[in-house]
Amino acid sequence: MYRTHTCGELRLEQAGRQVTLAGWIQTVRKLHKTVTFVDLRDRYGVTQLLFGESLVIQLEEQPLGREFVIQVTGTVTERTSKNPNMPTGDIEITVSNFSILNAAKTPPFTIQDDTDGGDELRMKYRYLDLRRNLVKQNLELRYRVNRSVRNFLDTRGFMDIETPFLIKSTPEGARDFVVPSRMNPNEFYALPQSPQTFKQLLMVSGYDRYYQVVKCFRDEDLRADRQPEFTQIDCEMSFVEQEDILNTFEDMVKHVFKEIKGITFNEAFPRMTWEHAMEFYGNDKPDIRFEMKLVNLTDTVQNQGFKVFDDAELVIAICAKGCSEYTRKQLDELTDWVKRPQIGMSGLIHLKYNTDGTLKSSVDKFFDETKLKGWAEKCNAQPGDLILVLAGREERTRKAMSELRLEMGERLGFRNKNEFKPLWVIDFPLFEYAEEEKRWVARHHPFTSPKPDQVALMDEPSRYGEIKANAYDIVLNGTEIGGGSIRIFQRELQEKMFAALGMSPEEARHKFGFLLGAFEYGAPPHGGIAFGFDRLCSLLGGSESIRDFIAFPKNNSGRDVMLDAPSDIDQSQLDELKIGLIK
Amino acid sequence: MYRTHTCGELRLEQAGRQVTLAGWIQTVRKLHKTVTFVDLRDRYGVTQLLFGESLVIQLEEQPLGREFVIQVTGTVTERTSKNPNMPTGDIEITVSNFSILNAAKTPPFTIQDDTDGGDELRMKYRYLDLRRNLVKQNLELRYRVNRSVRNFLDTRGFMDIETPFLIKSTPEGARDFVVPSRMNPNEFYALPQSPQTFKQLLMVSGYDRYYQVVKCFRDEDLRADRQPEFTQIDCEMSFVEQEDILNTFEDMVKHVFKEIKGITFNEAFPRMTWEHAMEFYGNDKPDIRFEMKLVNLTDTVQNQGFKVFDDAELVIAICAKGCSEYTRKQLDELTDWVKRPQIGMSGLIHLKYNTDGTLKSSVDKFFDETKLKGWAEKCNAQPGDLILVLAGREERTRKAMSELRLEMGERLGFRNKNEFKPLWVIDFPLFEYAEEEKRWVARHHPFTSPKPDQVALMDEPSRYGEIKANAYDIVLNGTEIGGGSIRIFQRELQEKMFAALGMSPEEARHKFGFLLGAFEYGAPPHGGIAFGFDRLCSLLGGSESIRDFIAFPKNNSGRDVMLDAPSDIDQSQLDELKIGLIK
């Protein structure tokens, strides 16, 4: 037994008790020759140690330093100057003897919330970064969310069932990681992008309610804040309609918020169709912590002699409340902002609705006061507001305005990370046309069911674009935290879907024969959802970055810089696997 | 809503209620023209349905068959002939209308406990095999064990922390599965054989108590009942000695047995040194449900003119109580048994201690009655017992006798799968000499600590064989269900260990530099254990096979015959990964 108590445990009640503690040295403060104070840290807290006169010689022989691991025995003593900010702040340990369990070099960065270590350095020494309170709290939060989710699902009759990691490569959408097989040379397993087909098979097998907190893998180019391996809360239910799933998982999210954040949602989460979201927020994951909806001005402003508008597919506006006093500098800055390559617009038009009722626009030359008044009315603007207008190709302009709305929301302080506004986005299109590939692709995935009353359209390729899916996303503060669908459960419809995606019957059978087969032996109606667990945790923790919520994350090149992985492997390994490298 | 109740839910109290059920047809029994009984099944149970006169025409148009998925609405009615063996046996549903949600082809084997489907067929149609009650109960058991373990560890302050799956290949012991990286061409990740180094880093980071129920991977030739991917309950603790770990995880096993099997262990689990286990049971995972210990007769029988004994390194015996009446046929059969290639002995010698006190042996020619009496005494035999003796090379003979002991235990009914006898085996050797490689290898793994008082021997290669480790296994009914060790936590000792295993300092730094580095920044004393979750479940479920407790297992060639994985991948995938196949 290395300790009788942890460093977060002792209180005044234990005064006089002889105890043994073990932990890391947070700080050493030598007050004068015969008094040294040490803050001893472990996962549970910090306790102050007092090394007095009897230990002066030992301390000279065995000097203590930051991050040393030590064991001390001593007496719990009431402090003369208490520290109300520390749970153990009423006491200290008067040390009678100590031993150094392990010395420590000076860490390459300070182990503090506000560390001096850069990103790469902290990743290389992740085991030290993980000591920082901030990171520790994140991983503790993740653990508590995991537990809260499991408890909820257990109570609702969901069964945790493990699905395999070494599966079959079925490229469709993102790229698979593949794994060569020594026992089956020249053949490869794939790592799952999700347990999708397995959870559906479990429904066919009658398991009724399944869940798993499970690693998934995608060999995609990593944009900021994507990881090649990520964790899903993966769920599936049988004999359900969309309504049943929305209700069940809305309850789950409410349960987690209650347990983790102490936040109660009394109202049902709003539900918004995909079309509504696209029209009024410009994207399918609206941040509804604030209004500032997109207003389509195309019809209002075209054919009045202003070429920029007349040539545009879309002219769209937002109304920033109370911003009519924006300076030229601020407006120029916003213009630069929309011109950045990520946004890609050529300019920004503004209209100030001054508090005195006058109107002032960057396009006064082309539009008279009445016309401008018309814009203001269309935008529901009041004196004191600022209207921002973008014009151009439809898709890009909508997307740009959606980004500008978020940017303005940010600047106006509407995006408070302690305010949580979840909603369901529903009625997604079933298909999406992929211009490069000149074919329809599945918006969600090929197992998603069309709306029951639109199944007939599956026979009319010219109308694929009209078909809506029984698919839904749950969106929190502008981020998708989960998504799912009611699945196809009939072989014939599944075959039509594969065909619509350009798969030949042979290809469909080769890749998904097991699923098509399963649908012939009594498949129940079913549907499910998967939550991005890393993302959910980062939102609950009030952070932008999922990396802060992963114990050992990879960098933007998919590398683990601590391990130095991926790395070369021995020629003998390659030989056994019967693969060669192409330089 | 497809149903108001499940098929396991309705009782007499609900009689008269209008309900809707959905599920699979287990059986259809047409009693006469106007009365058809259907047993409807779901995960929760079976309910009897009565289709009466009003549905005759619909049933003719839409005939029902086994494994069809249907939805029925009707009234809960008291049965005239109740079935006390079914929880719903007091009622039936008088169906008013029904619809077929999905038809089913006739399954390729019967969905029953006692199925007519062979192994390969059931693996191919695993989604149908999973419908069988037996398999469902196994997966439910697995789920409950998982939950029970998590609850225990949660209560004891262990944190579930996810470790990465895409790590670095560090071949040592079993072979790694490797994963080529598209973003880092010609480099490979490896899939973890266990999260060993990560959990140690978490201890260095101060997480104090860690656990994970986690998939691990080994690209090994699959003996019967090994899987390339398997699940571990992986745990680690800081500031502990061996005693703390044994106590904690003994409590965990007791907790699981109490919750899952209703079995209480009042006594502490026995502890047996590795040396004792090898001497008296012939292996390091003794089945202590029965005695029949191995008796070393070498000194007793050698140099008395019987060449077989005189040439042997080891002569060893067991005493089978009450077996003196074994017939010649039975003894011949046992002789054939030890001659099988798996056992590899050239013969079996027996000595009957007849109930009348006389002795009768297959080697009467060489040993007189006094000598034989001496054997019997040495073996603690009583009249009525049978002594079985093997002689030969030490290692093989001991192993063979260990197997023969288990075989005799089996034949005598001592290996009752409902009796559970766990124990700890401790004090394993730190090293083992690998004859083929002509070097020392780690008995457990290279991170295992030698006994504190034997650390000095790490500087004397000639004495490596003497060093014992702070390593321990937990053994249940002759199967290792978990094992672990106190770890090395000092860089210097870890470097000595790598050197002892024949690793150059460069190789050690290349493979494990991150761990050696971590040990320099304040590593606490720590240790842990990992349980084989698949195996634990199979033992709790009373089965020999772990495959029955895995939802989608692989066969002995590492193939998933349902998915047909591993499989070819597209040339374009290979090109992207910059690897070629060697035919």
Side-chain angles (χ1 to χ4, degrees):
Chain A
M1 285 263 287
Y2 276 92
R3 60 189 175 198
T4 55
H5 296 78
T6 71
C7 295
E9 202 174 348
L10 293 166
R11 299 289 181 275
L12 207 48
E13 297 94 276
Q14 280 94 16
R17 213 72 75 95
Q18 163 112 339
V19 298
T20 302
L21 299 186
W24 287 260
I25 293 179
Q26 179 85 7
T27 55
V28 183
R29 301 186 309 281
K30 188 164 176 178
L31 208 63
H32 53 73
K33 196 175 174 326
T34 58
V35 177
T36 300
F37 284 109
V38 164
D39 276 353
L40 193 69
R41 183 194 72 226
D42 66 11
R43 173 177 136 198
Y44 312 95
V46 173
T47 298
Q48 179 166 296
L49 312 177
L50 167 62
F51 292 73
E53 191 157 10
S54 66
L55 298 168
V56 168
I57 292 165
Q58 197 188 343
L59 277 179
E60 269 166 22
E61 284 164 359
Q62 305 180 329
L64 302 178
R66 274 203 289 147
E67 302 305 320
F68 276 44
V69 181
I70 63 169
Q71 184 184 36
V72 302
T73 299
T75 311
V76 183
T77 320
E78 183 166 5
R79 276 210 218 176
T80 42
S81 63
K82 300 198 168 67
N83 181 345
N85 300 320
M86 279 170 77
T88 63
D90 288 349
I91 58 102
E92 63 195 8
I93 310 299
T94 309
V95 177
S96 53
N97 50 65
F98 75 93
S99 63
I100 296 175
L101 299 175
N102 219 343
K105 295 204 295 194
T106 305
F109 52 86
T110 55
I111 313 277
Q112 283 166 358
D113 285 2
D114 201 10
T115 179
D116 57 358
D119 244 24
E120 277 290 297
L121 197 65
R122 285 187 293 114
M123 291 283 270
K124 182 163 154 59
Y125 295 92
R126 182 63 172 171
Y127 48 85
L128 297 179
D129 201 28
L130 286 170
R131 283 187 192 166
R132 294 194 304 128
N133 227 353
L134 214 71
V135 186
K136 205 182 71 177
Q137 281 166 3
N138 290 346
L139 293 187
E140 278 170 355
L141 176 92
R142 184 183 178 109
Y143 166 54
R144 285 189 291 122
V145 176
N146 186 341
R147 219 161 30 141
S148 178
V149 163
R150 286 177 180 278
N151 284 340
F152 175 86
L153 293 171
D154 291 341
T155 309
R156 292 290 183 105
F158 286 80
M159 256 175 89
D160 180 353
I161 304 177
E162 293 170 60
T163 54
F165 280 73
L166 297 172
I167 67 165
K168 180 168 170 158
S169 186
T170 53
E172 167 72 20
R175 284 188 192 81
D176 288 329
F177 279 108
V178 297
V179 183
S181 164
R182 195 175 48 85
M183 286 176 70
N184 303 275
N186 293 336
E187 293 190 322
F188 292 78
Y189 302 101
L191 299 179
Q193 296 187 25
S194 89
Q196 183 62 33
T197 49
F198 294 100
K199 65 177 178 174
Q200 292 193 243
L201 290 178
L202 288 172
M203 295 303 104
V204 173
S205 301
Y207 286 78
D208 209 71
R209 296 182 166 208
Y210 144 95
Y211 82 96
Q212 208 181 174
V213 181
V214 64
K215 273 283 173 72
C216 302
F217 304 87
R218 266 176 220 175
D219 191 10
E220 288 300 286
D221 297 321
L222 302 171
R223 282 178 271 154
D225 221 28
R226 284 260 196 132
Q227 290 277 318
E229 50 176 309
F230 55 97
T231 305
Q232 276 188 0
I233 305 166
D234 194 50
C235 308
E236 197 79 4
M237 304 169 78
S238 288
F239 299 115
V240 289
E241 289 160 340
Q242 175 168 307
E243 193 62 25
D244 303 306
I245 297 203
L246 300 195
N247 289 335
T248 302
F249 292 96
E250 184 163 321
D251 284 353
M252 185 180 99
V253 172
K254 286 179 173 172
H255 170 86
V256 170
F257 266 96
K258 183 95 183 92
E259 280 207 349
I260 304 298
K261 307 290 291 181
I263 293 174
T264 307
F265 294 100
N266 292 313
E267 309 286 315
F269 294 172
R271 296 185 187 183
M272 191 184 290
T273 65
W274 175 83
E275 275 183 353
H276 184 98
M278 293 307 288
E279 184 174 351
F280 294 107
Y281 298 89
N283 65 49
D284 56 8
K285 39 183 198 292
D287 185 344
I288 58 168
R289 280 174 297 185
F290 62 106
E291 286 272 324
M292 213 192 286
K293 286 182 187 163
L294 277 52
V295 181
N296 191 331
L297 289 183
T298 318
D299 293 344
T300 313
V301 302
Q302 276 187 338
N303 303 319
Q304 293 162 42
F306 182 44
K307 196 167 168 359
V308 172
F309 285 173
D310 292 350
D311 290 351
E313 280 176 13
L314 179 71
V315 182
I316 200 160
I318 51 172
C319 171
K321 293 275 161 208
C323 293
S324 69
E325 310 272 296
Y326 259 39
T327 61
R328 162 139 307 273
K329 184 158 170 264
Q330 284 176 299
L331 291 166
D332 285 350
E333 200 189 43
L334 281 180
T335 305
D336 289 345
W337 194 90
V338 303
K339 285 180 166 173
R340 295 181 316 153
Q342 304 96 298
I343 307 294
M345 299 305 294
S346 51
L348 175 68
I349 289 150
H350 70 263
L351 167 61
K352 288 180 174 179
Y353 196 166
N354 295 317
T355 43
D356 61 6
T358 60
L359 291 156
K360 174 86 192 119
S361 162
S362 53
V363 289
D364 286 348
K365 266 194 282 218
F366 304 95
F367 299 92
D368 63 23
E369 177 120 4
T370 323
K371 296 281 186 203
L372 294 177
K373 206 110 203 172
W375 300 14
E377 265 165 35
K378 189 96 199 227
C379 293
N380 245 322
Q382 305 298 321
D385 293 351
L386 171 70
I387 292 169
L388 298 169
V389 185
L390 291 173
R393 307 267 309 172
E394 171 149 12
E395 202 181 315
R396 174 183 295 182
T397 307
R398 191 181 300 282
K399 192 164 181 311
M401 188 50 95
S402 148
E403 296 288 335
L404 181 59
R405 173 182 175 273
L406 293 176
E407 175 65 18
M408 289 304 296
E410 194 70 50
R411 289 178 187 222
L412 295 171
F414 295 152
R415 305 185 72 193
N416 174 359
K417 66 180 187 181
N418 294 314
E419 187 189 358
F420 295 96
K421 282 284 183 72
L423 80 156
W424 291 102
V425 177
I426 56 174
D427 296 352
F428 277 82
L430 184 63
F431 295 107
E432 200 164 60
Y433 195 73
E435 287 296 345
E436 325 83 74
E437 303 172 62
K438 299 258 173 271
R439 67 174 185 100
W440 292 97
V441 295
R443 181 81 177 61
H444 187 58
H445 58 47
F447 314 107
T448 297
S449 176
K451 294 267 175 202
D453 57 359
Q454 290 184 305
V455 168
L457 296 184
M458 292 291 287
D459 295 320
E460 298 184 54
S462 67
R463 299 182 66 187
Y464 282 173
E466 295 171 39
I467 306 177
K468 290 286 187 292
N470 264 332
Y472 32 81
D473 278 356
I474 183 161
V475 173
L476 179 62
N477 293 0
T479 301
E480 180 211 321
I481 56 168
S485 63
I486 298 295
R487 324 299 184 186
I488 296 169
F489 69 106
Q490 283 142 324
R491 176 168 183 140
E492 197 193 358
L493 186 56
Q494 188 65 65
E495 283 176 332
K496 271 187 197 167
M497 173 55 100
F498 287 143
L501 301 175
M503 244 187 248
S504 70
E506 296 69 41
E507 194 185 349
R509 264 200 300 279
H510 177 67
K511 286 182 176 168
F512 297 108
F514 60 95
L515 188 68
L516 293 169
F519 285 174
E520 292 189 309
Y521 290 103
H526 62 286
I529 193 166
F531 288 82
F533 184 53
D534 309 295
R535 175 63 60 206
L536 177 63
C537 292
S538 79
L539 283 171
L540 286 164
S543 167
E544 298 284 302
S545 163
I546 61 170
R547 233 186 259 173
D548 297 345
F549 293 79
I550 296 172
F552 298 99
K554 301 202 168 39
N555 74 7
N556 281 344
S557 320
R559 297 198 69 84
D560 184 320
V561 296
M562 179 188 73
L563 298 180
D564 189 25
S567 63
D568 299 341
I569 57 173
D570 296 343
Q571 186 59 42
S572 62
Q573 281 177 283
L574 294 170
D575 292 345
E576 279 198 334
L577 294 168
K578 303 237 182 300
I579 59 177
L581 303 182
I582 296 165
K583 298 288 175 181
Chain B
M1 286 263 287
Y2 275 94
R3 60 189 176 196
T4 56
H5 296 78
T6 70
C7 295
E9 203 174 346
L10 292 166
R11 300 287 182 277
L12 207 48
E13 297 94 275
Q14 280 94 13
R17 209 73 81 84
Q18 164 112 339
V19 297
T20 301
L21 299 186
W24 286 259
I25 294 179
Q26 179 85 7
T27 54
V28 184
R29 300 186 310 281
K30 189 164 175 175
L31 208 62
H32 52 73
K33 197 175 173 327
T34 58
V35 176
T36 300
F37 285 109
V38 164
D39 276 352
L40 193 69
R41 182 193 73 226
D42 65 11
R43 174 177 135 196
Y44 311 96
V46 173
T47 298
Q48 179 165 295
L49 312 177
L50 166 62
F51 292 73
E53 191 153 12
S54 66
L55 298 168
V56 167
I57 292 165
Q58 196 188 342
L59 276 180
E60 269 167 23
E61 284 165 357
Q62 305 180 329
L64 302 177
R66 274 202 291 147
E67 302 304 319
F68 276 43
V69 181
I70 64 169
Q71 183 184 37
V72 302
T73 299
T75 311
V76 182
T77 319
E78 182 166 5
R79 277 209 217 175
T80 42
S81 62
K82 300 199 168 64
N83 181 345
N85 300 320
M86 279 169 78
T88 65
D90 288 349
I91 58 100
E92 64 197 7
I93 310 299
T94 309
V95 177
S96 53
N97 50 65
F98 76 93
S99 64
I100 295 175
L101 299 174
N102 219 343
K105 296 202 296 194
T106 305
F109 52 85
T110 54
I111 314 278
Q112 284 166 356
D113 285 2
D114 201 10
T115 179
D116 57 358
D119 244 24
E120 277 290 296
L121 195 66
R122 286 187 292 113
M123 291 283 270
K124 182 163 157 54
Y125 295 93
R126 182 63 172 172
Y127 48 85
L128 297 179
D129 201 28
L130 286 169
R131 283 187 192 164
R132 294 195 304 129
N133 228 352
L134 212 71
V135 185
K136 205 181 72 178
Q137 281 166 2
N138 289 345
L139 293 187
E140 279 171 354
L141 177 91
R142 185 183 178 108
Y143 166 54
R144 286 189 291 122
V145 176
N146 187 340
R147 218 160 29 142
S148 177
V149 164
R150 286 178 179 279
N151 285 341
F152 175 86
L153 293 170
D154 291 341
T155 309
R156 293 289 182 106
F158 286 80
M159 259 175 86
D160 180 354
I161 303 176
E162 292 170 60
T163 54
F165 279 73
L166 297 172
I167 66 166
K168 179 168 169 160
S169 186
T170 51
E172 167 72 19
R175 285 187 192 82
D176 288 328
F177 279 108
V178 297
V179 183
S181 165
R182 197 175 47 85
M183 288 176 67
N184 303 277
N186 293 338
E187 293 190 321
F188 291 78
Y189 302 101
L191 299 178
Q193 296 187 25
S194 91
Q196 182 62 33
T197 50
F198 295 100
K199 65 177 178 174
Q200 292 193 243
L201 291 178
L202 288 171
M203 295 303 104
V204 174
S205 300
Y207 285 78
D208 208 73
R209 293 180 170 209
Y210 143 95
Y211 82 96
Q212 208 181 175
V213 181
V214 64
K215 273 282 172 76
C216 301
F217 304 87
R218 267 177 218 175
D219 191 10
E220 287 300 285
D221 297 320
L222 301 171
R223 282 176 272 154
D225 222 27
R226 283 261 194 132
Q227 291 278 316
E229 50 176 309
F230 54 97
T231 305
Q232 275 187 1
I233 305 165
D234 194 49
C235 308
E236 197 80 4
M237 304 170 79
S238 288
F239 299 115
V240 289
E241 289 162 338
Q242 174 169 306
E243 193 63 25
D244 303 306
I245 298 204
L246 300 195
N247 288 335
T248 302
F249 293 96
E250 183 164 321
D251 283 353
M252 184 181 100
V253 171
K254 286 178 174 173
H255 169 86
V256 170
F257 266 95
K258 182 94 183 91
E259 279 208 351
I260 304 298
K261 307 290 292 182
I263 293 174
T264 307
F265 293 100
N266 292 314
E267 308 286 317
F269 294 173
R271 297 185 186 181
M272 192 186 289
T273 64
W274 175 84
E275 274 183 354
H276 185 98
M278 293 306 288
E279 182 173 351
F280 295 107
Y281 299 89
N283 65 49
D284 56 9
K285 37 183 199 294
D287 185 344
I288 57 168
R289 282 174 295 185
F290 62 106
E291 287 270 325
M292 211 193 286
K293 287 182 188 161
L294 276 54
V295 181
N296 190 330
L297 290 184
T298 318
D299 293 343
T300 313
V301 301
Q302 277 188 338
N303 304 318
Q304 293 162 41
F306 181 44
K307 197 167 169 355
V308 171
F309 285 171
D310 291 350
D311 289 351
E313 281 176 13
L314 180 71
V315 182
I316 200 161
I318 50 172
C319 171
K321 294 272 161 210
C323 294
S324 68
E325 310 273 295
Y326 260 37
T327 61
R328 162 138 306 272
K329 183 155 170 269
Q330 283 174 301
L331 290 165
D332 284 350
E333 199 188 45
L334 281 180
T335 305
D336 289 345
W337 193 90
V338 302
K339 284 180 168 177
R340 295 181 317 153
Q342 305 96 296
I343 306 295
M345 300 304 293
S346 51
L348 175 68
I349 289 151
H350 70 261
L351 167 62
K352 289 181 173 179
Y353 196 166
N354 295 315
T355 43
D356 62 6
T358 61
L359 291 156
K360 172 91 192 114
S361 162
S362 52
V363 288
D364 284 349
K365 266 195 282 220
F366 304 94
F367 299 92
D368 62 25
E369 177 120 4
T370 322
K371 296 282 183 200
L372 295 176
K373 205 112 202 172
W375 301 13
E377 264 164 38
K378 188 100 199 218
C379 293
N380 242 322
Q382 305 297 322
D385 294 350
L386 171 70
I387 291 169
L388 298 169
V389 186
L390 291 173
R393 307 267 309 174
E394 169 147 12
E395 203 181 316
R396 171 183 295 181
T397 305
R398 190 180 300 283
K399 192 164 181 313
M401 188 49 96
S402 150
E403 297 288 332
L404 181 60
R405 173 180 174 273
L406 293 175
E407 175 65 20
M408 289 305 295
E410 194 70 53
R411 289 179 187 219
L412 295 172
F414 294 150
R415 304 187 72 193
N416 174 0
K417 65 181 185 181
N418 294 315
E419 186 188 0
F420 295 96
K421 283 283 181 74
L423 81 155
W424 291 102
V425 177
I426 57 174
D427 297 350
F428 277 83
L430 184 64
F431 295 106
E432 199 165 62
Y433 196 72
E435 288 295 345
E436 325 82 73
E437 304 172 61
K438 300 258 173 270
R439 67 175 184 100
W440 292 96
V441 295
R443 180 76 177 63
H444 187 57
H445 57 48
F447 313 107
T448 296
S449 176
K451 293 268 174 201
D453 58 359
Q454 289 184 304
V455 168
L457 297 185
M458 293 290 288
D459 295 320
E460 298 182 54
S462 66
R463 299 183 64 188
Y464 284 173
E466 294 171 38
I467 307 177
K468 291 286 187 290
N470 263 332
Y472 32 81
D473 278 355
I474 183 162
V475 172
L476 179 61
N477 293 1
T479 301
E480 180 210 321
I481 57 169
S485 63
I486 297 297
R487 323 300 184 187
I488 296 170
F489 69 106
Q490 283 143 323
R491 178 171 181 138
E492 196 194 359
L493 185 55
Q494 188 65 66
E495 283 176 330
K496 269 186 200 168
M497 173 54 103
F498 287 142
L501 301 174
M503 246 187 247
S504 71
E506 297 69 41
E507 192 186 351
R509 264 200 299 279
H510 177 68
K511 287 182 175 168
F512 298 108
F514 59 97
L515 188 69
L516 292 169
F519 285 174
E520 292 189 310
Y521 290 102
H526 61 287
I529 193 167
F531 288 82
F533 184 52
D534 308 296
R535 174 64 60 204
L536 177 62
C537 292
S538 80
L539 283 172
L540 285 164
S543 165
E544 298 284 301
S545 164
I546 61 170
R547 234 186 259 173
D548 297 345
F549 293 78
I550 297 171
F552 298 100
K554 301 202 168 38
N555 74 7
N556 281 345
S557 321
R559 297 197 70 82
D560 184 321
V561 296
M562 178 188 74
L563 298 179
D564 189 25
S567 62
D568 297 343
I569 58 174
D570 295 344
Q571 186 58 43
S572 63
Q573 282 177 281
L574 293 171
D575 292 346
E576 280 198 333
L577 294 168
K578 303 241 185 297
I579 58 177
L581 304 181
I582 297 164
K583 300 286 175 181

